[in-house]
Amino acid sequence: MNVPLKLWGFFAVALWTASAAAQVTFDSGQSYRVEYRTVYEQQQVTAYRLQYETVCEERTVTTYRPVWETEMREYRYTVARPVVETSYREERYTVSRPVWETEMRDCSYDRVSYVEETAQREERYTVSRPVWETAEREVCYTVRRPVWETRYRTEYCTEMQPVTTCRTEYVDQGCYTQQMVYKPGWPRTRLQWLSGSTTVDPASGVPVYQRPGLYWVQTPRGQYEVQRVWQPNVVARQVSQTTFVPKVVTRQVPEQVCTYREERVVRKVPYQTCRTVTEEHVRQVPYTVRRRVVERVERQVPVKVCRTVTEEHVRQVPVTTCRMVYEERVEKRPYRVCRTEAVQETVQVPRCVVRRIPVTYTRCVPRVTCYRVPIDACGRPIDEWRAAPQMPTAAEPTPAETPTETPSEDAAAEVPPVLGQESGDPVGSDTRTPAPQSDVFPSVDGIST
């Protein structure tokens, strides 16, 4: 089973930083706690740095360039030439000539004059004269007189009155206690010898015989921790409280009420009546009359009269006729022709070449060691510094083990990743499959860890 080195490192750090580890109890009654520490060993690693070089190669390139040539071409076109011809035609037209003559015209007219005469005539007309008379009439109307009375009305209002009551309140008067809690950890996978037995195939559900041998077995593991737990102690007590209770209060409020009483009143009202009386009158009206007198006035007026005499004339009118004559002509014009010519050239083409340069550097490989520490009943170590074994330290590299070439930052960035190493891991991290757990996690006095 291949497990990445980062996961193994996570397990080692988790085991190293845990506050409490698995406890082991022997027949003597002494309890021990198994602790783990990580030791880093230096290891020489050879990597390859990529170096890029630019090499120019000669290549023959064929290009095509245009060559322009001039040649003469014949263009045929048709031309329309106008031909003008003149002829005469006879045209007849009529001419009107005026002839003036003098004649006498009768312009006699009537002269009208008016003569005024005065006379009188009798005119009768009717006059309407108003006559006023006074009379009385009775008017009945209703009067509303106000009457004031004092009445009492019932008014309801709500008042808040304080009321004191007792209620039961529960208070937690507990305390903190120490309690051992088991926390499961990551399951451990290891090789274990299993004897022959009959198992059930999970895929088909058929009983299958399993041969004896080494099989990968997952063993759950965990640790006990001391946690501080709150132990509740609920105590009941009486607490007084004051609340306001609404209460409805009734009271009589006096108020003035105005009512209206109706009374019927009769009174006499004088009024005037206008009556029209008609009378006939006679009067003499003078008037003026204008009489018309007509007189005839004779008058002869000489008048010039224009008379039109028609005459017919003949004239020769020239007429111009244009006709088109078509001719075919030939014209030579220069014309440019483009011809492509092949040209071969030798050019330098750059090419990138990659070289691998070996680089040797030192990396630290983690290794986990375990030891046991005696603890008391509360899980605290007893004389921890004496019981803890001396942790082995990594051997310092000898002058022969120092790297021959220290890679720079640019070279470290160009080192290709090792097979199975992730892109985000540092250069010095180890991604190979760790050693069997029997070597990494040795047993303590025959007890498998």
Side-chain angles (χ1 to χ4, degrees):
M1 181 178 181
N2 296 329
V3 181
L5 183 59
K6 292 177 66 177
L7 189 59
W8 287 106
F10 174 75
F11 290 160
V13 173
L15 294 174
W16 172 253
T17 57
S19 60
Q23 299 182 5
V24 182
T25 305
F26 294 92
D27 297 340
S28 60
Q30 180 63 43
S31 299
Y32 293 89
R33 181 176 63 193
V34 179
E35 293 188 357
Y36 300 87
R37 290 187 180 179
T38 304
V39 179
Y40 292 89
E41 297 180 353
Q42 295 186 356
Q43 181 179 356
Q44 297 288 334
V45 178
T46 301
Y48 292 90
R49 183 181 63 190
L50 300 179
Q51 183 175 358
Y52 299 89
E53 296 181 356
T54 303
V55 179
C56 294
E57 297 179 354
E58 292 187 355
R59 293 184 181 178
T60 302
V61 180
T62 302
T63 59
Y64 296 88
R65 63 181 180 181
V67 178
W68 293 91
E69 296 179 352
T70 304
E71 62 181 17
M72 302 301 292
R73 292 186 179 181
E74 291 185 353
Y75 291 91
R76 294 181 178 273
Y77 59 95
T78 303
V79 179
R81 182 171 56 83
V83 177
V84 181
E85 297 177 354
T86 303
S87 60
Y88 292 89
R89 62 181 176 85
E90 190 177 88
E91 183 182 90
R92 292 180 179 273
Y93 62 95
T94 302
V95 178
S96 298
R97 183 172 56 86
V99 178
W100 292 92
E101 296 177 353
T102 302
E103 60 181 16
M104 298 303 290
R105 179 178 298 177
D106 186 7
C107 292
S108 300
Y109 59 93
D110 294 335
R111 181 181 294 172
V112 179
S113 60
Y114 294 91
V115 179
E116 293 184 359
E117 296 179 355
T118 303
Q120 287 186 356
R121 60 183 175 85
E122 188 179 278
E123 184 182 42
R124 293 180 179 272
Y125 62 95
T126 302
V127 177
S128 297
R129 183 173 56 86
V131 178
W132 293 91
E133 298 178 353
T134 303
E136 291 183 355
R137 59 185 177 86
E138 291 184 356
V139 177
C140 298
Y141 60 93
T142 303
V143 178
R144 301 184 66 186
R145 300 183 183 276
V147 178
W148 292 92
E149 298 178 358
T150 302
R151 298 179 182 178
Y152 290 89
R153 62 181 177 85
T154 304
E155 187 179 41
Y156 299 94
C157 61
T158 302
E159 295 180 356
M160 304 298 291
Q161 295 183 356
V163 177
T164 302
T165 58
C166 295
R167 63 182 179 87
T168 303
E169 185 180 18
Y170 295 90
V171 181
D172 189 1
Q173 299 180 358
C175 60
Y176 285 97
T177 59
Q178 302 293 336
Q179 182 178 357
M180 300 295 292
V181 178
Y182 175 78
K183 286 191 175 182
W186 291 90
R188 180 183 302 171
T189 304
R190 57 181 297 175
L191 283 174
Q192 185 177 355
W193 176 267
L194 298 178
S195 59
S197 62
T198 302
T199 60
V200 178
D201 188 2
S204 60
V206 179
V208 179
Y209 176 76
Q210 183 179 3
R211 298 180 180 180
L214 292 174
Y215 293 93
W216 288 104
V217 179
Q218 287 191 353
T219 304
R221 59 178 179 177
Q223 58 185 1
Y224 287 91
E225 293 184 357
V226 178
Q227 290 187 354
R228 193 179 181 187
V229 182
W230 175 263
Q231 184 174 358
N233 182 17
V234 181
V235 178
R237 64 179 182 180
Q238 298 293 327
V239 178
S240 62
Q241 60 180 4
T242 302
T243 59
F244 288 88
V245 179
K247 182 179 180 182
V248 179
V249 179
T250 305
R251 61 183 177 180
Q252 299 292 328
V253 178
E255 61 179 359
Q256 295 287 334
V257 179
C258 178
T259 59
Y260 291 90
R261 183 176 302 170
E262 295 183 355
E263 296 181 0
R264 190 173 183 83
V265 180
V266 180
R267 68 176 179 175
K268 291 184 178 182
V269 179
Y271 67 94
Q272 289 184 346
T273 305
C274 180
R275 182 169 54 86
T276 303
V277 178
T278 304
E279 297 179 355
E280 187 176 354
H281 295 267
V282 179
R283 65 183 174 181
Q284 297 293 326
V285 178
Y287 64 94
T288 302
V289 180
R290 299 182 69 183
R291 186 170 51 88
R292 181 179 179 182
V293 178
V294 181
E295 297 179 1
R296 182 69 178 177
V297 179
E298 298 291 338
R299 183 183 178 186
Q300 296 292 328
V301 179
V303 178
K304 281 189 175 184
V305 179
C306 180
R307 182 171 54 85
T308 303
V309 177
T310 303
E311 297 178 357
E312 186 177 357
H313 294 263
V314 179
R315 66 179 176 181
Q316 298 291 329
V317 179
V319 177
T320 303
T321 306
C322 179
R323 61 185 180 87
M324 305 300 293
V325 178
Y326 293 92
E327 298 178 356
E328 186 176 358
R329 295 184 182 181
V330 180
E331 182 181 354
K332 290 187 178 182
R333 297 180 185 176
Y335 181 78
R336 298 192 67 187
V337 180
C338 181
R339 181 174 54 84
T340 304
E341 181 180 354
V343 179
Q344 291 186 353
E345 296 178 356
T346 302
V347 296
Q348 299 287 335
V349 178
R351 184 173 61 86
C352 186
V353 180
V354 182
R355 290 193 311 164
R356 294 179 177 268
I357 299 177
V359 177
T360 303
Y361 61 94
T362 304
R363 68 175 181 180
C364 295
V365 179
R367 182 171 61 86
V368 180
T369 60
C370 65
Y371 64 96
R372 60 184 182 178
V373 177
I375 59 177
D376 55 7
C378 295
R380 292 176 296 185
I382 301 175
D383 198 1
E384 182 178 358
W385 299 106
R386 294 181 181 180
Q390 295 294 331
M391 298 302 300
T393 59
E396 297 183 357
T398 59
E401 296 177 354
T402 56
T404 58
E405 181 180 355
T406 303
S408 60
E409 296 180 359
D410 299 339
E414 297 176 355
V415 174
V418 185
L419 181 62
Q421 177 180 347
E422 300 180 1
S423 59
D425 298 340
V427 177
S429 61
D430 190 4
T431 59
R432 297 174 298 176
T433 305
Q437 296 187 8
S438 59
D439 297 337
V440 178
F441 303 99
S443 60
V444 179
D445 294 343
I447 300 177
S448 176
T449 61

